Amino acid sequence: MLKMPSMAVMRPDQARSEPSACETIEELFAALESPLLSYALRLVGQLSVAEDMVQEAFMKLHAQFDQVNEPRRWLYRTVHNLSLNHRRDAAKNRAA
């Protein structure tokens, strides 16, 4: 018989509405610029394009920082989406 691992249950009075470590955009940039650049470079294969994508992701985050609940996850998803856009645009240009 398969036994499921027990899960900790938090009571509502123990839950926090905000993450414990509130990060500023500057702190996020310091922590994530290099890992995001490596990720973008693996996705697109060109350093200059990867740098542009990371810069664009941070600019988009800056514009809507107050509305983003999980900025780290949001940045990685944005870089991923920007790489997909780049690949699609590059394929269109080759076909034309």
Side-chain angles (χ1 to χ4, degrees), residues 38-71:
S38 295
Y39 179 61
L41 187 55
R42 283 194 313 270
L43 294 173
V44 296
Q46 295 176 307
L47 181 59
S48 62
V49 174
E51 289 171 336
D52 289 346
M53 288 189 324
V54 171
Q55 180 180 17
E56 185 175 348
F58 274 103
M59 289 172 52
K60 287 179 177 207
L61 177 62
H62 184 267
Q64 51 190 339
F65 191 69
D66 293 337
Q67 292 97 24
V68 175
N69 293 328
E70 298 180 47

Side-chain angles (χ1 to χ4, degrees), residues 2-74:
L2 182 64
K3 184 176 180 178
M4 299 297 289
S6 64
M7 296 178 65
V9 177
M10 184 177 286
R11 295 190 324 252
D13 60 328
Q14 293 175 321
R16 292 184 180 178
S17 61
E18 298 177 6
S20 59
C22 185
E23 295 176 298
T24 65
I25 197 159
E26 292 84 4
E27 292 170 333
L28 286 166
F29 185 80
L32 295 178
E33 178 195 20
S34 183
L36 278 171
L37 185 56
S38 295
Y39 179 61
L41 187 55
R42 283 194 313 270
L43 294 173
V44 296
Q46 295 176 307
L47 181 59
S48 62
V49 174
E51 289 171 336
D52 289 346
M53 288 189 324
V54 171
Q55 180 180 17
E56 185 175 348
F58 274 103
M59 289 172 52
K60 287 179 177 207
L61 177 62
H62 184 267
Q64 51 190 339
F65 191 69
D66 293 337
Q67 292 97 24
V68 175
N69 293 328
E70 298 180 47
R72 288 173 177 258
R73 180 180 290 184
W74 187 94

Side-chain angles (χ1 to χ4, degrees), residues 68-86:
V68 175
N69 293 328
E70 298 180 47
R72 288 173 177 258
R73 180 180 290 184
W74 187 94
L75 281 165
Y76 274 95
R77 174 50 58 189
T78 300
V79 167
H80 179 84
N81 289 343
L82 289 169
S83 73
L84 293 177
N85 292 348
H86 173 74

